[in-house]
Amino acid sequence: MRSSDDIVERIRSATSIVDIVSEHVRLRKRGKNYLGLCPFHTEKTPSFNVLDDKGIYKCFGCGESGDVFSFVMKIEGLNFPETLEKLAKVAGIDYVKSEKRSDEVEDKTEPLVGACREFAGFCYRSLRAEQGMGAMEYLRDREFSQDILKKFGVGYAPEGDHSFLRSQSISSKTLGIYEQAGIISKNDRGEQYERFRNRIIFPIMNQTGRIIAFGGRVMPGASKEIAKYVNSPETMIYHKSQILYGLFQAKEAIRKKDFAILVEGYADVLAVSQAGFENVIAAAGTSLTTEQLNLLRRYTKTIVLLFDADLAGKNAALRGIELALTADFDVSCIVLPQGEDPDSFLKKEGADGFERQLGIKTSFIETKARLLKEQGLFDTPEGSARAIRSLVESIAKVPDAIKRELFIRRIAEKFKLMETTLLAELQKITGRERREVVRKQIETGNRNLSHLPIDTSPPQQVTEQKAQPAEKELLRAFLENTAVAYKALIEVDFDFTLLQNEFVKSIIMMAIKSYEETGESPSAAILLEAFHDDEVVRKMIIDTLVVNDKISEEWEAGNYTITEIEERIGQSAKQSSTVISKAVYKKEQSAMYPQLNRLTDEDELNEMLEKAMIAAQMIHPKN
């Protein structure tokens, strides 16, 4: 249950957004507002605006915006109740913490959090007691300091007489809570046992520091049949796909350095953090997930992936790259020498050696190309084609169109390929994926297409590009009725990447995005607000809307029905898309013929001829 509107408004009224933001951002007054460098992305020219009288902020660089509550939530990684509690203290207002959620939910989760806290405390003390001497000796041999063990709350879960269950007075009701928290489990006979016995314990915290789960490492010398690591199961308070190990300890360093080092496991986090690189985290117990990336986005959009030298580690990291790219993160990589992991590398090369690795980190394209080469894919022409196509498929996941073209250029230079060939392959992949997803969504009636690789950001040009008549006509159809125009283009399988005018493309993509999110064709006000800081785009929208008004008057005078008007809009959209497609393919075909005369390689010649035939088919389709 969200706190009452009364307490929220009282806190809002008693809080100065300028004072709160100033704790994190150096602001200077500009007119009646304040300006500073955005804390949510790296910039050299200030674009972060705080409007004191309205109690809001807006960054015109990355688009982040909100009020004092959303600012504190994003900058400090707090949830809404925790933010209320913090701001209430600042404002001197009494705030009852129990308001943050219903008693029913509170009763279900708080005992589990309490059980995790008690078990973590028991393990922490046990590591430093007589029964933990062996575990402590092992950790010392690994050269982990007392400070780093304390920082991450590392402990030890004994077995036998010193075990958690035997040394505690626990009621049957409490046993059930420990079972729900994943600390106790049951065997096939229904007998309860301790999940983490005789293991080094790594408490897993959420981003606010609450202990919600555990990872346990087996002690040296244990049977090889025993799993090296045991992790907490999914519980009411722990969902591994939504948690990043070490984020609570690392979040301030991540925010300060504006990048996160992503490693594989608990011990890796400790080793890297102890070496002075505190902005380190791990997706322990799971492959990197969208939820984890959304959590990390609060602090940075830049990731340095640390590859283990073994093949499994490399493949896992590659999967992480693909997901991070789709989520619009900037991704670079470090591949450690063969046989090394972060801990062993730091022991040999020290912090200076690790710093050098950070200095020579490579882009995801260079890293993936290197790994594909190690797997022998570039040993044959067939393998090389598969490898390069795989690289292009990765690039297709990058939402930013400019970044995609820069990566394509880099591949073309590295492998001495024609940039136009790679761009054609990229266009084929992105168009195919988008159309397939759209078809499925329309078939199932699901309008939520937020994950589509559609770039809705305003174009970077500062002067207006001249739009071709067909593109102007298509834009007019979308502004008249986005739903009708969009469905018409889906029917003819139109590839939106063929739009040449970046302003037209941005407006149409924004209209589609708005339609998919709301189910309604966006109004002029919505689109104008979406491009409120781009006068060129706003002018194009307004000019097109003026034309639409005149046409609408003609339709009204002609007494057309709504169905007839929608049919005309759909027909106009289809005709415009056909003209656009033919013009693009005709231009590509003209550019191919001079290249055909210069090609000597038979495979390249055949490939170019095939593309020329496809272009000819698109220009003059058979009925």
Side-chain angles (χ1 to χ4, degrees), residues 316-366:
L318 281 177
R319 290 191 293 272
I321 285 177
E322 303 280 345
L323 200 59
L325 290 173
T326 304
D328 199 22
F329 275 75
D330 291 327
V331 185
S332 55
C333 311
I334 296 174
V335 181
L336 295 176
Q338 189 65 36
E340 301 286 5
D341 59 27
D343 190 21
S344 64
F345 180 83
L346 282 164
K347 283 184 174 64
K348 290 181 180 179
E349 303 294 335
D352 290 343
F354 195 86
E355 187 71 57
R356 286 193 295 273
Q357 288 291 321
L358 283 174
I360 60 172
K361 61 184 182 293
T362 56
S363 72
F364 84 94
I365 282 296
E366 293 167 315

Side-chain angles (χ1 to χ4, degrees), residues 487-507:
K487 290 175 182 177
L489 295 198
I490 294 301
E491 290 177 10
V492 297
D493 215 12
F494 178 66
D495 184 351
F496 287 94
T497 63
L498 298 180
L499 292 170
Q500 300 295 293
N501 186 284
E502 292 300 322
F503 296 103
V504 170
K505 185 189 296 185
S506 292
I507 298 168

